[in-house]
Amino acid sequence: MQRAFNTFEIPQDVRPEQIDVQENGVRVQWSDASHDSFYPWDFIETYIQSDRRTPEPRRIEYFGSNGSGNSTSWPPSVSSKDLEDNETRTVAQLTDFIKRFGLVFVTGVPFETGEATKKLLEKIAFIRQTHYGGFYDFIPDLAMADTAYTNLALGAHTDTTYFTDPAGLQAFHLLSHADPTAKDGEGTLGGKSLLVDGFYAASLLRKESPRAYKILTTHKLSWHASGNEGITITPDTSYPVLESKSNGQGLRRVRWNNDDRGVVPFTERSPMEWYEAAREWHSILTRKDLEYWVQLTPGNLLIFDNWRVLHGRSAFTGVRRMCGGYINRDDFVSRWRNTNFPREEILKRVVG
C-alpha cells in the first residue's frame, strides 16, 4: 500500500508538510497550513489504477407512436396526491420515469390557476429563469416574437438550443382551452401535443444511414435567439445536432430547432452534405410510427427531457392557457440520484 501511495502525484503548488501513513489510509498536513486531508486506501487505489468513477446506470427505453413496447402501462404517470402523501418516494418514481422513458405525466393537478403546477415542479428543483421569465402562464401573444406563443402548428423540436446548457426538463400543463365563437358540434379545437423520442430516432439514423449520423454528430453549427429586442443569445461555441457522450458510449443530447439554427458552416465539408443528412434526420423524425400524439387536458401535467424528447403540436383555434417551466439538467439529475440511490453509492459515482 505504501508503494502505491508513493506513485500518487501531489500538486506542485502546494506540498505536503507532513504525511502520516495509517492503517486505514493516509493523513496529509499541507504546506499552506490551511487544513489537513485524509485519503482512505480504497480512494487512493481507485485513482492510481484508473481515475474512473462508478458509471451511472443507463436504463433507456425508446418510445414511438404506440408508446414503449417494453412497458406494461403507458404513458408513465404518477399522481399529485401521491406527491403530497409521500414526496420523496413519488419524486423518485417520477424522475426515474423521465430518465427511463424521457417523459412522465402527473395526474390530478389543480388547474384553477398555475400555482399548483409551479409548486409541483419545484419539488423536482428550482424553475429556471430565461429571457422569457421563469414559470410561464400564457395565452397566444404575438408580442413575444416566438412561434410558441401563436396558434400555429409546430414541428418536432427541442427548446433553448441557443443556450450553452439547454433546459434539461420542460413542462406543459393545459389550464384551459375554449373558443367562444365555435358552435356546438363543430369538432375539436386542435392543439394536440406531439412527442418524438430523439434517442430512438438517432438510433435509427445511425443504423440506416451511418454517414448522415456521422455528419450530424461532428458538423457543428451556430444557434441563436435574436427575435426579441435587446436579446442576442448564442452558445459558448458551435454544437452539432446530435451530441455524443465524452466517452463515446451513447448519445448525450439532441439539439434541433430550425427556428434557432444559424448558417450552416462552409468549413470541414460542403453545406450540402449537412443538408442531405438533415433531410434524412427529418424524414425519420416525421415517421408516423415515431410520432406520439396526445391531447393535453386540464389536470394532467406533462414533464419531459428536453435533451432527448422533441415536442411540437397541431394548430388550434380559440384561446389556450398553458403554464409550465424549465428545470436545469444538473438539478434534475441530482434530484433523481438522491431520491433513488443511497448516498454512499452516489458519492462513488461523482467523487470516486
Side-chain angles (χ1 to χ4, degrees), residues 56-326:
E56 200 92 85
R58 182 179 172 86
R59 188 167 62 126
I60 297 292
E61 291 189 28
Y62 298 146
F63 71 85
S65 59
N66 295 319
S68 173
N70 297 322
S71 176
T72 56
S73 61
W74 182 268
S77 65
V78 300
S79 75
S80 60
K81 183 179 184 305
D82 287 342
L83 275 169
E84 291 297 328
D85 294 344
N86 193 324
E87 179 177 321
T88 301
R89 183 182 65 190
T90 309
V91 168
Q93 185 181 25
L94 180 154
T95 54
D96 200 56
F97 276 147
I98 297 173
K99 287 284 288 185
R100 181 177 168 190
F101 298 107
L103 61 92
V104 70
F105 286 88
V106 184
T107 61
V109 181
F111 52 88
E112 291 75 16
T113 71
E115 187 60 28
T117 304
K118 181 175 182 291
K119 289 181 178 179
L120 191 153
L121 293 177
E122 288 172 340
K123 292 180 184 296
I124 304 174
F126 65 90
I127 295 172
R128 179 170 178 171
Q129 289 281 337
T130 73
H131 53 296
Y132 291 114
F135 181 79
Y136 45 76
D137 184 342
F138 68 93
I139 59 175
D141 183 1
L142 291 176
M144 298 301 290
D146 191 296
T147 52
Y149 292 86
T150 69
N151 61 355
L152 301 174
L154 301 177
H157 64 282
T158 58
D159 269 19
T160 61
T161 60
Y162 39 76
F163 287 143
T164 301
D165 176 33
L169 299 184
Q170 184 166 6
F172 287 128
H173 186 190
L174 179 69
L175 298 179
S176 63
H177 188 184
D179 185 352
T181 66
K183 298 178 181 179
D184 292 340
E186 285 191 352
T188 63
L189 301 177
K192 266 194 169 184
S193 291
L194 167 66
L195 300 169
V196 178
D197 189 340
F199 285 4
Y200 181 28
S203 72
L204 294 177
L205 181 68
R206 185 173 190 174
K207 179 181 178 181
E208 297 173 13
S209 182
R211 174 179 168 78
Y213 183 86
K214 183 176 181 181
I215 290 172
L216 295 186
T217 55
T218 59
H219 203 76
K220 298 178 180 180
L221 310 172
S222 60
W223 308 84
H224 68 97
S226 53
N228 300 85
E229 188 68 26
I231 299 296
T232 50
I233 302 174
T234 58
D236 61 342
T237 187
S238 300
Y239 287 94
V241 172
L242 305 175
E243 297 176 51
S244 301
K245 288 181 174 290
S246 58
N247 60 8
Q249 301 298 313
L251 205 59
R252 174 173 178 254
R253 179 165 59 199
V254 176
R255 193 185 294 251
W256 180 252
N257 192 331
N258 271 324
D259 292 339
D260 301 337
R261 179 173 55 79
V263 176
V264 178
F266 285 75
T267 57
E268 299 180 18
R269 55 169 48 95
S270 165
M272 295 307 296
E273 292 183 282
W274 185 89
Y275 280 111
E276 289 172 4
R279 276 193 289 271
E280 293 188 58
W281 169 242
H282 175 74
S283 71
I284 291 177
L285 290 177
T286 53
R287 289 178 183 174
K288 297 305 180 185
D289 60 344
L290 263 70
E291 294 184 334
Y292 177 69
W293 289 92
V294 59
Q295 183 69 64
L296 298 182
T297 56
N300 291 320
L301 167 66
L302 166 65
I303 310 172
F304 58 92
D305 182 350
N306 184 57
W307 283 24
R308 169 183 171 182
V309 177
L310 296 86
H311 67 283
R313 68 167 183 238
S314 63
F316 64 90
T317 60
V319 178
R320 294 199 322 171
R321 182 182 173 190
M322 187 76 72
C323 72
Y326 296 128

Side-chain angles (χ1 to χ4, degrees), residues 337-338 340-347 349:
R337 287 177 181 140
N338 284 281
N340 281 279
F341 304 99
R343 178 73 172 171
E344 182 179 348
E345 184 177 338
I346 297 169
L347 292 178
R349 295 179 194 159

Side-chain angles (χ1 to χ4, degrees), residues 1-2 20-27 38-42:
M1 288 296 185
Q2 188 172 357
D20 182 15
V21 180
Q22 302 175 359
E23 182 179 354
N24 57 345
V26 175
R27 187 171 299 280
F38 180 77
Y39 302 95
W41 286 121
D42 57 352

